[in-house]
Amino acid sequence: MATGTTAYLVVRRDDGFGDVFPLVPGQSYTLGRAATNSIVLKDDLCSRDHAEVTFSGNRWRVRDLGSLNGTRVNDVKVEGERELSPSDDLNVGRTTFVFVEDMDQLPDLPPSSPDADGSMSIKKRLGQTRFLTPPPPEGGASQEAILPSSRHGLSRDLSLLYRLALDMGTASSHEELCRIVLDTLLEATPAEVGAILSVAQRPATRRGAPPEPLGTGKSLRGVELEVTAHRNRDPSVQHYRPVSEYVSNEVLASREAILAEDIARDRYLRNRESLSDLGATSLICAPIIHADRVLGLIHLYCTDPLKALDGEDLEFTVAVAKQLGGVIHNLQKQQSLSAENRSLRDQLKVESELVGESSVIREIERQIGLVANTNATCLIRGESGSGKELVARAIHYSSPRKDGPFVTLNCAALTETLLESELFGHEKGSFTGATEKKIGKFEAANHGTIFLDEIGEMNVLTQAKLLRILEGHPFERVGGSVPIRVDVRVVSATNKPLEEAVRDGTFRRDLFFRLQVVEINIPPLRERKSDIRLLANHFLQRFVRETGRKIRGFTEAALVKMENYHWPGNVRELRNVVERAVALGVGPMLDANDIWLSSLEAMLAPSAGEKAGYEPLSLEEVERRHILATLEHTDWNKSQAATILSIERSTLDRKIKSYGLKR
């Protein structure tokens, strides 16, 4: 007995007794959640200052400190002050103490129940741990106090858990993660052998579905466990012999960790892989769980007869298992997303490949190969629908930036204010409608590539800001003051002669030369008609795959009809023609009647034998008349007219407004 000690408070648990608190006369002992209490209880049903135990009148007494849930002695609520007698149960929140004046007064422990066939003695089961703060279990299961006087030292264990959390965050693979966890477990416990086992997965039940985990059922007995990693203190021992199958099944079924002793009496596997053959004296088996799904098990066991795993080791292992479950889930999710991302990038890369065997396509591919590995800005020229964005994507996915983002922006589709906001972002409240902070395209494209289509439509003020970024200067969001630096490669495109815009003063000369470091010209489809068959079959296979139609190909008449067409809308128009033919075609082969071509070219061309007359019209008037004629041809169907004109619907709306066209 400690000097001056006249009584004890002993934590009562379901399977025996826990921490012991000696009581010395002349001292007052407060109980509660606050760290300033003599006995700190990690219990959400306790008040910060819950109760007080004092010695007066030669008797130990307890009084409630105005707690929310009250203090009870032998299930009777304490009103005022209550004397304590030997063997009294003191209930504070979920914690039950036994008051004794001598340790011999403690009641006998309940007999430990052996397993189903008497193979081993399970000393302790544990579903939660004092190192973590899970939701309180239903049914009011007891929860013992946290003391800084545990065998290992609470501060040391918490330090190990904190270090483990940091180390697990750096793990890049499942194997590295398991190695880190086993190293920490063998450092914190006396175990000689440790292993992490993963629950096997069922094959996918349907094509394309992910494997089905086995850790979600109510009963998991008999599932297959795979040894992911193992560790032995003796470096000369390289193999791992698993612990009793009975132990694994018990943990899988109950989802609670167990501490087993006296396993030398194991008769379950006596004639096979018995633990007694391993010389194991005690073991811990803890489930690795995330969101009610068992991911695996942690096995630890001692072989040294002078060492044994105890309740402290069990609590520490449960804390590690709970951390490990969350990290494994996040790592699996990250690996799944990475695999999906790679798959999508591969698909995107296939869709972005240039199709054609003409000499001009080969030359474009050669230029892409030369420029891709540099950081030079590129200017892509070509008519609308000729495939400028495909070339930009090919440059990005052939470059060292291919793992970074590829961001596109059509400069003609936005007003001046919105264009600057889209490019550089804005702060909350910077203008009407800016209800929250927005990240701009340049920030989103950091360490990647930004593709600026129809760059000639950008206003002069935004051009100045773009030029500063290209020269390496930081920028600020609209309404912001924080400088932002990005590492972005700029690829731009235009379908109009920028030289004329420079002469007219609508495009900055210095920006023009900065964008035109490398120039790639894409010829219109009418100048590479040898590629029409390849492109048509490429689009046919794509749309047949998407729609599931039973179409084998084109007839020769259909291919000749497409080759003889002028294709004012270029590759985009060809794609739309094939898509329409696949959607409306009824036979196994697409014939000439299935190929619907625009009548725009025939409408504008003079009839046979008729000489086209000259009218002294400006380009603006020619464009106005052409747009009006196209709208009337389509009965003012703007989407169809925009397709024929090979411009965006927003661009058509803007031109209708600027020319004052009306139906």
Side-chain angles (χ1 to χ4, degrees):
M1 179 181 296
T3 304
T5 300
T6 62
Y8 303 88
L9 286 178
V10 183
V11 174
R12 182 192 290 275
R13 303 198 319 198
D14 291 339
D15 56 354
F17 301 104
D19 295 297
V20 178
F21 304 95
L23 305 179
V24 179
Q27 297 186 23
S28 175
Y29 298 87
T30 57
L31 298 83
R33 286 188 297 109
T36 54
N37 287 288
S38 307
I39 301 176
V40 180
L41 302 177
K42 193 173 184 181
D43 188 338
D44 61 334
L45 291 186
C46 288
S47 299
R48 292 183 58 82
D49 299 305
H50 196 103
E52 183 181 27
V53 176
T54 57
F55 188 79
S56 64
N58 208 31
R59 301 285 294 176
W60 284 99
R61 306 171 188 274
V62 62
R63 69 183 181 92
D64 188 77
L65 298 179
S67 64
L68 180 62
N69 295 312
T71 303
R72 288 174 171 78
V73 175
N74 299 328
D75 290 330
V76 177
K77 189 173 183 179
V78 174
E79 302 290 348
E81 195 173 77
R82 167 76 180 268
E83 288 186 3
L84 292 173
S85 301
S87 300
D88 278 349
D89 281 345
L90 173 60
N91 301 102
V92 181
R94 290 191 177 89
T95 306
T96 300
F97 297 93
V98 180
F99 174 80
V100 294
E101 294 177 345
D102 191 283
M103 296 298 290
D104 293 335
Q105 295 174 345
L106 286 174
D108 294 333
L109 290 172
S112 58
S113 56
D115 60 81
D117 57 3
S119 61
M120 70 178 60
S121 171
I122 296 178
K123 180 180 179 183
K124 183 177 181 180
R125 296 178 182 268
L126 190 64
Q128 304 293 354
T129 171
R130 64 181 179 173
F131 293 108
L132 304 175
T133 55
E138 297 180 0
S142 63
Q143 182 172 339
E144 62 182 280
I146 293 183
L147 283 179
S149 58
S150 61
R151 182 176 64 81
H152 293 315
L154 181 62
S155 60
R156 172 183 177 271
D157 289 343
L158 289 175
S159 175
L160 285 174
L161 288 173
Y162 175 71
R163 190 187 70 191
L164 175 63
L166 296 178
D167 291 342
M168 287 196 298
T170 64
S172 58
S173 65
H174 193 254
E175 292 72 18
E176 182 182 1
L177 176 64
C178 293
R179 178 187 59 78
I180 291 172
V181 170
L182 288 178
D183 287 346
T184 301
L185 285 171
L186 293 188
E187 178 183 353
T189 70
E192 272 83 40
V193 181
I196 295 177
L197 288 75
S198 300
V199 174
Q201 294 181 328
R202 297 188 183 98
T205 56
R206 64 184 188 279
R207 186 177 181 182
E212 182 179 355
L214 291 175
T216 54
K218 292 183 179 180
S219 176
L220 293 172
R221 293 180 180 273
V223 302
E224 183 179 353
L225 291 170
E226 301 172 347
V227 180
T228 304
H230 62 86
R231 171 85 184 275
N232 196 303
R233 287 189 187 275
D234 185 354
S236 64
V237 179
Q238 298 296 326
H239 65 281
Y240 166 74
R241 298 183 65 181
V243 298
S244 170
E245 185 177 324
Y246 165 75
V247 174
S248 299
N249 287 337
E250 281 292 305
V251 174
L252 290 171
S254 66
R255 285 178 164 79
E256 289 185 332
I258 63 172
L259 166 64
E261 293 183 341
D262 301 325
I263 59 178
R265 298 186 296 109
D266 187 348
R267 301 195 305 273
Y268 190 73
L269 298 174
R270 177 172 295 174
N271 296 324
R272 290 184 290 176
E273 295 178 327
S274 171
L275 290 173
S276 59
D277 293 340
L278 297 177
T281 59
S282 59
L283 69 87
I284 286 175
C285 185
I288 304 170
I289 299 176
H290 177 78
D292 200 34
R293 172 187 164 198
V294 179
L295 304 177
L297 300 176
I298 292 178
H299 278 172
L300 300 174
Y301 59 86
C302 272
T303 57
D304 190 339
L306 301 179
K307 297 179 181 179
L309 298 165
D310 58 15
E312 296 284 344
D313 302 317
L314 180 63
E315 286 211 39
F316 186 85
T317 305
V318 169
V320 172
K322 288 185 179 294
Q323 281 185 286
L324 181 59
V327 177
I328 288 178
H329 171 75
N330 291 333
L331 188 60
Q332 290 175 344
K333 184 177 180 181
Q334 179 182 351
Q335 292 172 343
S336 175
L337 290 174
S338 298
E340 183 180 2
N341 190 29
R342 286 193 298 270
S343 175
L344 291 174
R345 286 183 183 277
D346 291 341
Q347 294 177 25
L348 184 60
K349 186 174 182 179
V350 169
E351 296 297 341
S352 298
E353 286 180 350
L354 296 174
V355 177
E357 295 181 349
S358 61
S359 58
V360 291
I361 290 297
R362 296 303 181 203
E363 176 61 21
I364 291 173
E365 290 177 342
R366 187 189 69 82
Q367 289 178 300
I368 291 173
L370 292 174
V371 75
N373 290 325
T374 71
N375 284 321
T377 56
C378 301
L379 178 63
I380 304 173
R381 294 178 183 257
E383 295 181 3
S384 293
S386 58
K388 297 187 291 295
E389 184 174 342
L390 296 184
V391 173
R393 288 185 182 275
I395 292 173
H396 172 73
Y397 288 110
S398 302
S399 73
R401 297 174 178 266
K402 62 183 178 181
D403 292 327
F406 179 81
V407 179
T408 65
L409 180 66
N410 190 322
C411 300
L414 300 168
T415 64
E416 177 179 340
T417 304
L418 289 179
L419 177 60
E420 187 171 355
S421 173
E422 282 292 318
L423 281 173
F424 312 116
H426 63 252
E427 298 291 346
K428 180 179 179 181
S430 56
F431 54 85
T432 303
T435 57
E436 59 183 15
K437 182 175 73 173
K438 177 181 175 64
I439 300 299
K441 298 293 187 182
F442 267 97
E443 281 186 82
N446 194 25
H447 301 298
T449 304
I450 186 170
F451 174 61
L452 302 177
D453 198 8
E454 297 192 53
I455 189 70
E457 302 293 336
M458 183 180 291
N459 65 83
V460 177
L461 294 178
T462 308
Q463 291 175 27
K465 203 167 184 179
L466 173 60
L467 180 61
R468 285 186 56 82
I469 297 176
L470 293 176
E471 291 176 346
H473 297 285
F475 65 92
E476 299 172 356
R477 300 191 190 102
V478 177
S481 58
V482 178
I484 300 170
R485 289 186 178 274
V486 291
D487 175 20
V488 175
R489 181 182 195 166
V490 176
V491 178
S492 56
T494 182
N495 60 0
K496 60 171 56 177
L498 291 182
E499 293 82 358
E500 293 183 6
V502 171
R503 284 195 297 268
D504 296 339
T506 59
F507 200 85
R508 293 179 62 105
R509 180 184 299 270
D510 47 4
L511 178 61
F512 171 75
F513 290 119
R514 191 67 180 81
L515 293 174
Q516 201 190 21
V517 174
V518 176
E519 181 177 304
I520 298 177
N521 289 283
I522 304 177
L525 185 57
R526 59 183 173 273
E527 295 181 9
R528 51 186 182 102
K529 288 192 173 184
S530 60
D531 292 333
I532 290 178
R533 292 189 177 224
L534 288 174
L535 285 165
N537 283 298
H538 169 76
F539 290 130
L540 176 64
Q541 293 174 8
R542 173 180 173 180
F543 293 125
V544 165
R545 207 167 45 239
E546 291 178 358
T547 60
R549 301 294 301 275
K550 305 296 183 181
I551 299 176
R552 297 197 300 269
F554 297 98
T555 64
E556 182 64 23
L559 292 172
V560 170
K561 183 177 181 179
M562 288 187 286
E563 286 179 330
N564 291 334
Y565 182 59
H566 189 61
W567 297 111
N570 291 296
V571 179
R572 182 186 295 133
E573 185 182 3
L574 174 60
R575 175 188 179 278
N576 294 339
V577 167
V578 175
E579 184 177 14
R580 179 184 182 278
V582 171
L584 301 180
V586 293
M589 300 290 288
L590 295 179
D591 202 357
N593 294 331
D594 299 313
I595 306 301
W596 183 87
L597 300 175
S598 171
S599 59
L600 177 62
E601 183 182 13
M603 180 184 67
L604 295 177
S607 59
E610 178 185 350
K611 185 176 180 180
Y614 170 76
E615 289 187 69
L617 301 175
S618 66
L619 288 175
E620 183 178 4
E621 178 61 21
V622 171
E623 183 180 54
R624 189 191 72 81
R625 290 187 181 186
H626 181 49
I627 291 174
L628 181 60
T630 305
L631 288 169
E632 291 176 349
H633 170 72
T634 61
D635 196 22
W636 278 77
N637 185 323
K638 294 182 181 179
S639 297
Q640 186 177 351
T643 300
I644 294 174
L645 295 170
S646 298
I647 60 176
E648 299 290 340
R649 167 67 183 270
S650 58
T651 303
L652 177 60
D653 288 333
R654 181 165 54 81
K655 290 182 180 295
I656 291 174
K657 183 178 180 181
S658 63
Y659 289 136
L661 301 179
K662 296 182 180 179
R663 188 168 186 173

